[in-house]
Amino acid sequence: MKNFDYARPQDVQSAAAALGKAKGSRPKGGGTDLITLMKSGVLTPPLVVDLASIPGLSGVSRLETGHFRVGATTTIAEVAEHPELARVARVLTDAAATTATPLVRNRGTVGGNLCQRPRCWYFRNLDYVCSKKGGQTCYAAEGENKYHAIFENVTCNIVHPSNLAPALWALDATIHVAGPTGEKSIPVADFWVRPEEDISTENVLEAGEVITGVSFAPEGASTGSAYHEVREKQSYDWALVNAAVRLDFEGEVVKEARIVVSAVAPIPLRLEACEKILKGQKFSDALAEAAGKAASGGATPLRDNAYKVHLIEKCVKNTILDAARRAKVRSGEPR
Amino acid sequence: MEADRKVKLVLGFGDQRREIEVNVPAEDPIPWDATTKFSVVGTAAPRADGVAKVTGRAKYTHDMNLPGMLYGGFVRCPVAKATINGIDWSAAQAHPGVKAIHDFKVKQTRYAHQHLIAIAAESRQALEQAIALVKVDYKALPHAARFEQAMVDGAPQVHANRPNIEAYSPSGREKAVQEAMQSADKVVEATCTTQVQNHCSLESHGIVAHWEGEQLKIWASTQATFGVRRDLADAMNVDEANVQVICEYMGGGFGSKFGAGYPGLAAANLAKLSGRPVKVMLDRREEMTDVGNRPDSVQTMKLGVSKDGALGAYKVDIVGTPGVGRGAGARNPMIYAFEDRLVARTERAVATNAGAQQAFRAPGHPQGSFALETILDLAAEAIGMDPLEFRIKNDPHPTRKAQYKDGGARIGWKNRKPNGSEAGRFRRGFGVASAVWYQIGQPQGAEVLCRILRDGSVQMRNGSQDIGTGTRTLMQIIGAEELGLSLDRVVPFIGDTRDPIGPGSGGSVTAPTVAPAARQAAYLAGKELRAVVAKAMGASADDLAFSQGQVVHQKDATKSMAFADACKLIDQGEISALGKRSKNFQAFEGTVGGVQFAEVEVDCDYGIVRLKKVVALQDAGIIINRRQAESQLNGGVIQGISYALFEERVMDRQLGQMVNADMEMYKIAGAVDMPEIESVLYDVSNGGNTTGTAGIAEPTMIPTAAAIAGAVHNALGVRVTSLPMTPDRVLAALAQKEKGK
């Protein structure tokens, strides 16, 4: 690991100022991803700014608007085990509970989960000067690509690694950011950056900017939400595909639907085509099936990951069914 | 000198008993058999070092920190094949903290991350900085890092002096097998593939080397202390008498840690050059790429079977890659256990530009078992016979015959439905597979020193190692049993080559090799003590025995005395006796048997195999320590599950690196992936040696993947013929079944 400076500022403004000074400096939440990347030499920040000691950056609170706010350094475990969040944002607590291992959940933070770097084994290997690291080639395109993208995989075949991201998008959350120029709020839908726009990053944060928290409206009484993650191992693994679904019902009719998938493209994807199939319709298993089928529309799988096309269809279908179960529109226990 | 004795022994288990007569050498005690009444042998004893391990008091090689110690590490070549034109380490040498550089003098690399030179520096940080300063001038050459790249015509040649494909001499009998196939009622065919598996020992390879003049002191994470001693004495040109190897504790080897290896050579050389102790511990990527693996395989089989379930002729072609090493044969020995088989076998090894294979827990067997049990299940299916019944009919082994029935009841085999009859998203299935192993210990393979001290405490000493299987505790138990003591009176010492010789821990050899030597040591020391006591009390030594902390006078109980009091009679301060390893004699069976059952639920939407339960039954000879034997069985099943469902080395076809050389993307089963494991030990009075001990470290891992594959087959009605059974492979099998409809 390269030598680096380390700062523990006591407020967000100092953190932003410190980060803005030296190019390539990195904020640190739990550090579970950052330290790994530094060890492998993929990241060599001159300065690491630890956000952990900033008061007020951690915890779940209710705002005057009635919205919930989750601080950036709130641990994944805290979110997973938060009883009130489980009532008003089940899709989020499900996603949090699914994350990694108890050890990582106890250390990893909400902000860090959103900003972690892709798990692509070419990106994480210093010997592969891939396009994301400033080279000319995406090695995944012709190489070993069973875990790579099946959508929007033209320039770069990474998949977005955050599992809280689709859940927060399903909640139409807002991401709060502080930086050298002050604070701003970004709808989660606008947070992501496609490789074609800037291959070196996955989100819109500029140097010196840090996430301070996320906020979202609580689910209503006639809303059901669910998060599913398909992975090889049930203990500590990365998603092959995942889906976050929020359904607002009027009786048995789907009034509003949010379907967001990830681990299938360089950024999380909202599937409006699937939402359209559900919206305004009386809920049925056949409807869920049809929406699931639509989830794979436009897929461009690589040599070794065509199975993910099948997985995303099934995953979306099953997550829709569970969201409907949560809203008591369909019987049975969510699985 | 006393004479040998002829004694009758009762061997076997349950209602299967057999009497044999054996010749017992004078220095040996009467062998344990089915009539022996034990006091501590066979109980669930705690590990002698359990507390030290869980409290961190146990010091592993990784924990060793000597005053002035340097850190050693490696400069490696990133590409799969290259000519090394030159290495410029001047900047590294000038770097603050760098104390020594050792050149392995490699001119041609043949796999990615091959080691070139070793550097020792004052700190880990200085070492990493120095490594980064070395300039390697290399010319990358076309490579064949993957199996299929090495197989094609015109493939880059891995070794300069031999072709990539090396055929072993075939078994012959092709024609006879072909003829026999023609008369078979049914002939089934299948091709199975298995993956390269990495050892993934929790403690990586590593050695600390410390020269004190001509004396070389070594701490090594090894499964062969004496092998390391020999390797380093040879390499450093010193007498073995001047080399001491210590391995009190070690974090796993699984076959990958037999010698000093290049990390050991690096540490010894760097320590010599610098005049300072040097620690070399590999990091995870080095562990994954440059110290061995289990070869992959493609096994193409054909089996004839009659309508009534009798096995016919068998033909198998095996291809596997040892990387740059040699030998990649999948072994499917179960077919030989089935009587009078007509087998034709061909085998090839394909060299690739990848790290060399090494021995790995039952080399060749798990891959062979996966394939063989596949063809057996397909044969049973083809004639409409229950696969368990099919095995009971064909397998002559007495222990396995009992285990098939016992295990079938435990897993609930009666709930098994015909293959593929389940519908819906979640489908249940049951599978069964078997193992064979051969180990009753090496004659002359070990010596154990037993010391009885004046205060009544006892030491049992052997210089080999406890790789986690519990050899240390085994010596303690045997000493306590033979001398009639409780475990706390016996202190075992293991892992220091200043103590008597012991085997390298390969082939499940350690327990059955060390146990009889330990028993003889305690027996001979006890015999001397009996003589001392007999003299003092004016009795005959033959009337004295050890039991429950007493030296018991068997004819006159009033003369009995406490063991501790007896030891006060030892004039010279202690009695010590060296126990040796006598020749093996006739055993109950030449082999030990194991059978495993799996119940799975397959999520057909996602192609995910979830295990509900595994029942593992294992013949383990006379069980010395029930707790550790069960732990061994559990460990084998856990590693087998991981092999069946998750583990797989992925080689990049472009630059030829292993792309998942970490514990994140090289996937190993975790706690949540584990089913209920019911481990059932078969106490078989085995004979063969004076303790009736048989080695079981390896067979416990052999049949797990095959049993799971059988269960998946039962659930889906289609065979997944490729390991690991990940969602992509399971979904592909389901799609193939749909297509076939």
Side-chain angles (χ1 to χ4, degrees), chain A residues 1 3 119 122 128 234-235, chain B residues 125 128 652 657 664 673:
Chain A
M1 195 189 284
N3 284 359
R119 316 310 303 189
Y122 295 110
Y128 286 80
Q234 303 316 305
S235 55
Chain B
Q125 201 171 13
E128 283 184 22
D652 172 47
Q657 286 199 10
E664 186 166 296
D673 302 302

Side-chain angles (χ1 to χ4, degrees), chain B residues 163-183:
Chain B
N164 289 352
I165 300 175
E166 190 173 26
Y168 297 101
S169 49
S171 64
R173 299 189 293 273
E174 286 272 345
K175 197 159 167 263
V177 164
Q178 209 174 339
E179 281 169 13
M181 293 277 182
Q182 278 162 5
S183 59

Side-chain angles (χ1 to χ4, degrees), chain B residues 702-725:
Chain B
I702 295 169
T704 318
I708 296 168
V712 171
H713 180 178
N714 179 227
L716 303 183
V718 61
R719 192 79 180 186
V720 179
T721 53
S722 181
L723 290 182
M725 289 176 276

Side-chain angles (χ1 to χ4, degrees), chain B residues 230-435:
Chain B
R230 189 180 55 238
D231 282 359
L232 289 178
D234 285 355
M236 304 310 292
N237 199 22
V238 290
D239 291 340
E240 279 200 57
N242 276 333
V243 182
Q244 180 191 0
V245 177
I246 300 167
C247 176
E248 270 203 89
Y249 301 95
M250 63 99 67
F254 303 111
S256 70
K257 290 183 181 169
F258 279 110
Y262 72 89
L265 296 186
N269 277 293
L270 291 168
K272 181 115 194 162
L273 288 167
S274 64
R276 305 259 295 263
V278 173
K279 172 151 85 175
V280 171
M281 295 299 304
L282 296 193
D283 68 18
R284 200 42 71 179
R285 179 157 86 175
E286 293 174 309
E287 193 68 14
M288 289 282 196
T289 53
D290 199 12
V291 285
N293 53 69
R294 180 192 299 285
D296 53 12
S297 74
V298 179
Q299 300 168 68
T300 306
M301 300 161 289
K302 211 168 169 181
L303 176 67
V305 62
S306 73
K307 276 186 299 211
D308 63 357
L311 286 174
Y314 178 58
K315 182 172 160 28
V316 59
D317 175 64
I318 299 166
V319 194
T321 172
V324 298
R326 273 213 131 116
R331 300 268 158 252
N332 35 161
M334 290 300 296
I335 204 80
Y336 303 114
F338 299 174
E339 282 168 352
D340 301 328
R341 282 294 66 74
L342 188 52
V343 176
R345 175 189 163 98
T346 47
E347 187 181 325
R348 287 162 292 158
V350 181
T352 52
N353 290 111
Q357 70 97 11
Q358 286 287 335
F360 193 162
R361 202 172 196 167
H365 284 242
Q367 52 268 51
S369 160
F370 173 69
L372 179 68
E373 302 279 4
T374 293
I375 199 84
L376 291 179
D377 280 346
L378 290 170
E381 189 175 46
I383 57 165
M385 193 175 208
D386 178 282
L388 181 57
E389 214 178 294
F390 185 59
R391 285 167 174 84
I392 292 171
K393 180 181 168 69
N394 284 292
D395 190 342
H397 197 282
T399 325
R400 278 198 302 271
K401 266 199 187 306
Q403 289 168 341
Y404 286 124
K405 289 174 188 159
D406 183 1
R410 288 170 192 269
I411 197 83
W413 191 266
K414 63 179 190 308
N415 300 321
R416 179 185 179 278
K417 297 176 193 159
N419 289 344
S421 53
E422 289 250 310
R425 179 175 164 191
F426 299 100
R427 298 176 202 170
R428 292 244 174 166
F430 294 85
V432 59
S434 318

Side-chain angles (χ1 to χ4, degrees), chain B residues 433-510:
Chain B
S434 318
V436 61
W437 206 250
Y438 324 90
Q439 195 54 254
I440 57 169
Q442 293 172 340
Q444 288 95 39
E447 296 180 359
V448 172
L449 183 68
C450 174
R451 299 167 77 177
I452 302 177
L453 282 70
R454 257 180 87 91
D455 64 356
S457 63
V458 174
Q459 286 188 352
M460 300 290 286
R461 308 190 70 108
N462 175 266
S464 71
Q465 59 291 316
D466 183 342
I467 72 165
T469 50
T471 314
R472 177 181 274 122
T473 315
L474 171 131
M475 289 201 301
Q476 182 189 35
I477 291 172
I478 286 176
E481 182 70 43
E482 195 61 32
L483 295 171
L485 298 172
S486 57
L487 289 174
D488 62 337
R489 301 309 297 150
V490 182
V491 185
F493 291 83
I494 200 163
D496 187 333
T497 53
R498 286 182 306 187
D499 279 326
I501 188 87
S505 294
S508 306
V509 79
T510 314

Side-chain angles (χ1 to χ4, degrees), chain B residues 646-675:
Chain B
F646 308 118
E647 296 186 40
E648 180 173 27
R649 183 186 75 177
V650 182
M651 297 300 294
D652 172 47
R653 66 200 65 207
Q654 300 159 112
L655 302 192
Q657 286 199 10
M658 177 182 176
V659 286
N660 60 340
D662 53 52
M663 295 280 248
E664 186 166 296
M665 298 311 283
Y666 182 91
K667 301 186 179 186
I668 298 180
V672 186
D673 302 302
M674 287 303 131

